[in-house]
Amino acid sequence: KNSESKKKWFANGGLPWNKNKTGIFSEEILAKIRKARSKQIFPRNDSDAEKKLQKLCKTAQIPFVKHKGINLGFQWHQVDLFIEPNICLEADGDFWHANPNPWINKGKWIPGFKADDHIIGKTYAKDKWASDKKVTLALEEMGYNVLRFWGTELTLYPEKCFQKIIRA
């Protein structure tokens, strides 16, 4: 950084240039920014659970699209796998989505999360469950058929998961 930008940074209390500023961008520009961001894939690499779900679909020769962006109204959401015309498959990592059932991590069984268990940052298990449920309900209201699979479920019972996909 040059010294001028450092001065601005410290004069601003170390805050980003746009902190506490609203009305800088028009609604049209904000919509363009949101749309561009929705096309980015986060995280950049597929999780183990996503890879297992993809393998199931590839083995059965079921065509799918990875990370399809859908505008839910309150947020853009990237569905892990999308099967035409309306099937959304979500591969939920046991840790990151706070699996309430016992699950496997590196060969060891881990007891399931309880609602008040802390995951990371300011996030608790009950918050993650509520967030996932909100996304699922929004997708269903839009006419999508949503199937969620835990990572451990994909590891231990791939045939059962495959049958769910076929039924859908």
Side-chain angles (χ1 to χ4, degrees):
K1 286 184 173 185
N2 63 28
S3 64
E4 190 60 35
S5 66
K6 283 183 182 177
K7 285 179 188 173
K8 283 183 183 177
W9 174 262
F10 289 111
N12 208 9
L15 296 174
W17 68 272
N18 61 347
K19 186 72 173 172
N20 299 323
K21 295 180 183 175
T22 57
I24 293 173
F25 297 115
S26 68
E27 219 22 74
E28 180 183 352
I29 297 298
L30 288 173
K32 286 181 181 178
I33 291 170
R34 287 183 193 115
K35 184 168 179 147
R37 184 168 165 79
S38 75
K39 292 179 183 173
Q40 295 174 320
I41 296 172
F42 299 105
R44 295 205 183 279
N45 298 324
D46 295 333
S47 69
D48 287 342
E50 288 172 343
K51 289 176 187 173
K52 289 172 185 167
L53 194 53
Q54 291 166 14
K55 185 177 177 185
L56 273 179
C57 291
K58 283 178 186 173
T59 303
Q61 297 180 342
I62 299 170
F64 61 87
V65 175
K66 294 188 329 179
H67 307 290
K68 178 178 171 66
I70 298 174
N71 186 353
L72 302 177
F74 58 90
Q75 76 179 46
W76 276 87
H77 176 72
Q78 290 182 351
V79 175
D80 293 334
L81 268 68
F82 179 76
I83 301 170
E84 290 288 344
N86 68 339
I87 300 172
C88 299
L89 304 179
E90 295 284 5
D92 293 339
D94 296 304
F95 176 79
W96 295 107
H97 289 265
N99 190 346
N101 309 309
W103 47 283
I104 296 175
N105 182 21
K106 297 177 185 165
K108 280 187 359 187
W109 281 95
I110 309 293
F113 282 90
K114 292 178 179 44
D116 289 326
D117 286 348
H118 181 255
I119 300 174
I120 194 164
K122 295 180 181 178
T123 307
Y124 289 86
K126 62 185 173 190
D127 302 329
K128 189 61 190 164
W129 298 337
S131 171
D132 287 345
K133 188 172 187 168
K134 184 177 179 181
V135 167
T136 299
L137 290 173
L139 287 167
E140 288 173 347
E141 285 174 9
M142 295 171 71
Y144 293 105
N145 186 359
V146 182
L147 300 175
R148 287 189 170 273
F149 300 97
W150 291 109
T152 295
E153 186 181 12
L154 289 163
T155 301
L156 298 178
Y157 313 108
E159 184 60 33
K160 191 186 275 188
C161 298
F162 174 71
Q163 290 305 321
K164 279 185 189 178
I165 296 168
I166 296 301
R167 280 194 300 272

